[in-house]
Amino acid sequence: MKRQSLVGCAVVALLGLTIPAHAGRQFGQLGKIGGAVKKVNDLRELQVTDQEEAQLGAAVSERIRARYGVVQDAAVHRYLAMVGGVLAAASTRPALPWTFIVLDTDGVNAFAAPGGYVHVTRGALALIQDESELAGVLGHEIIHVTEKHTIRSIQKSKAVQMGAAETLSGSSALLEKAVTATYDNIVDKGFGREEENESDEKGLELANRVGYAPSGLGEFLTRLKDRNKDATEKRGLFASHPEMQSRLDNLKKEIAAKKLASTATLADRYKKFITYTPTPVTEIATVAAGSAGLTGDTKKAEPKKEEPKKKGGFGLSRMLPGGGGEKQQAQVTGSGSARGVDPEKDAKGGSNPNPVPVTIAAADLAAFKKEGGLR
Ligand SMILES: [Zn+2]
């Protein structure tokens, strides 16, 4: 794929989906998450401007959409953009061109790309049972963006070495490397434990702040764990991986320690818009691991890059069967073709990568919040 189209068309095509900046600002003062200012200093060496971040995110999103396809349903996208928009407006970066995309795959997953591109799979929506759970998942992904975990992942990448005078927007070769590294980090490797914890904790706070029951994320993750119970021994083993339980314990601890007490769950509204039914993990059609290819080609895995492996990554996908943590590290360390198949991540995707543009005005968001008793 040519660079030109990779970057250019994604930016143009996705514009219609964004939440207007004024909508964000209107609600942006409700609360700020601590720590954002401090983080800026940590990031100085990155030399990635907001504009470059958006450019990178658009290109990464295009690859994710090409890999999994996009559900061509405006009503579903509009609902996702409403819930995401309420949360994003209360985040530390309300003015980003937040874009919420439903990927057309049975695999249960979610991916945050730089610049405000949040992707959730149809399989994840099928497993989610109410709006507070959706808010938990989106809140978690939004924090990956606002805390720039996505940007930091390429900073650490040896594949993306910047010369002193180089910038992402000034070098298309560098940008393409950054897009590939970011995609690999987000889709194949996941974030590290520290980033996941931060996203869990701040994501809960974010959901709670706008009025959602903060237990949503934990409810969803517990169901995800149950989903793996009857799977083959390998997955079953992974499902009982202690990391998942300690993660769930940590969520409960956070809610208690911070006395997070919002109560909206909004199951009826969720079911009005989302009517998918989950596909059992054993029935998910997959393409070969490692191809993660734009074409979904199953023939051969690409040689793996020489990057240091994340320690104990356990993002949304990371606690899935065969999908993460130490197990995945072992797979990645071996030759590309030796990697196992993770039915959620390696699930077959739909064929239509086109975004589904929806436009949401500040008044729409306000009405949506009022109807749901949100703040
Ligand atoms: Zn995560």
Side-chain angles (χ1 to χ4, degrees), residues 110-112 137 140-141 144 149 190-192 195-197 199-200 247 314-319:
F111 309 107
V137 171
H140 175 100
E141 299 301 325
H144 279 316
H149 298 158
F191 299 105
E195 285 100 341
E196 293 303 339
N197 279 338
S199 277
D200 276 356
R247 184 179 186 185
F314 67 152
L316 185 58
S317 67
R318 305 277 88 79
M319 87 276 299

